[in-house]
Amino acid sequence: MEELIDEECKAENKLMISEDYLVRIMAKEAGIRGLACVTTDTANESTRRHNTFSTAGAVLASGLTSAALLGALLNIKQRIAIKFQGNGPVQKCIAESDAYGRVRGYVAVPEVELPRHFGRPDIARAMGNEGLLTVVKDLGNKGMHEGVVALVDGSIEQDVLHYLTRSEQVQSLIDIDGIVSDNPMAEDQIVASGGMLLQALPGVDEKKFDNLSARFDELPSVAQELNHGRTLEELLAHVMAGIEYETLEKRSVHFSCSCSWKRTEKALLILGRAELESLMAEGEATVDCHFCGEQYIFGQEALETIIDKL
């Protein structure tokens, strides 16, 4: 799978100032933890960089929200990559995140526009109903961990829930949604994007979790509520009504890409002398970053410098 966010490149990251944020809560007595996030700015930055059509943009927004939620479950210096690969026209959506709220992602085919399904982008049809969801975690000193499950229906929300239930065996409730503008010329394609994840911990109060589940299913999506001006704190308070909990943290979520000239140069070194000399003969080498669209052009002088390093 594509490389995860590189901590060493943090100083060179392409970073967007964002109003997106995530809230983490814990209900100790009930044995329930919760996360909720806004990803609207992050999604719009990504859709602009990849020039997505609205259906593909909605897929990307949901993928980024998934990564933001799962990334928030990690410890510091840990990272996660999520790959949705299906038989739909989008083909593939990859999103990455870390424990610091840095998120990036892309879709394989950004020019996907399908008729809306009950007024909403048809994410399930765009992603497809057959394929795999692969989750790779870089756990630092504990090494890499990979989980793979079949796609349920391509909706992303249900696919992530299926992964949490089957691969991590954690009883979970999840909402991932994005509202796309009706105006195809809008600068901000994503009107609202966000999600919520509630999980049962060992020793959970099953009755309280069942009641929570019933209430969770009755609520509008997080994106709909955000679009109506409600905050994450208000949404969590509403869904957790009757269950005592504390807010552990509130932190930023933002688009960030770790690609850089230095990192791209290292990738070219791997090609070897013969391939680099061939590129010199052609005049230059151009390398594009899948995640942010940044383009790195190495002219003959730059290529000669790389060859000298060999």
Side-chain angles (χ1 to χ4, degrees), residues 179-222:
I179 299 175
V180 177
S181 173
D182 293 327
N183 178 10
M185 303 302 293
E187 181 180 359
D188 290 335
Q189 187 178 78
I190 308 300
V191 175
S193 177
M196 184 180 295
L197 174 62
L198 303 172
Q199 293 188 310
L201 300 174
V204 63
D205 185 322
E206 293 290 351
K207 183 176 181 180
K208 287 186 177 180
F209 194 81
D210 288 343
N211 292 337
L212 178 65
S213 178
R215 185 161 57 249
F216 188 85
D217 290 340
E218 295 173 355
L219 295 176
S221 73
V222 170

Side-chain angles (χ1 to χ4, degrees), residues 23 28 40 51 74 81 90 92-93 109 142 173 176-177 179 214 217 223 231 253 258 282 290 292 300-301 308:
V23 177
K28 290 183 179 179
T40 309
N51 296 313
L74 302 173
V90 166
K92 180 170 64 177
C93 174
V109 185
K142 297 180 180 179
L173 305 172
I176 296 171
D177 192 24
I179 299 175
D217 290 340
T231 66
V253 172
S258 60
E282 294 175 8
H290 286 302
C292 69
Q300 289 189 336
E301 185 176 342
D308 288 342

Side-chain angles (χ1 to χ4, degrees), residues 8 16 20 48 56 60 64 74 106 108 142 176 180 225 231 247:
E8 295 178 357
M16 183 197 71
D20 293 347
R48 281 194 293 267
L60 180 54
L64 294 169
L74 302 173
Y106 70 93
K142 297 180 180 179
I176 296 171
V180 177
E225 295 288 70
T231 66
T247 300

Side-chain angles (χ1 to χ4, degrees), residues 24-55:
R24 182 197 308 274
I25 66 169
M26 177 72 73
K28 290 183 179 179
E29 291 189 8
I32 299 169
R33 67 179 173 188
L35 301 165
C37 65
V38 185
T39 56
T40 309
D41 289 345
T42 303
N44 277 314
E45 179 70 12
S46 294
T47 56
R48 281 194 293 267
R49 285 177 175 270
H50 296 292
N51 296 313
T52 58
F53 289 11
S54 65
T55 305

Side-chain angles (χ1 to χ4, degrees), residues 18-26 34-38 72 99-101 230-234 236 246-254:
S18 170
E19 294 185 3
D20 293 347
Y21 70 103
L22 178 141
V23 177
R24 182 197 308 274
I25 66 169
M26 177 72 73
L35 301 165
C37 65
V38 185
Y100 306 96
R230 301 190 71 178
T231 66
L232 297 179
E233 291 85 350
E234 291 172 337
L236 286 166
E246 63 176 321
T247 300
L248 300 180
E249 70 168 330
K250 175 181 173 180
R251 68 159 183 238
S252 169
V253 172
H254 47 270

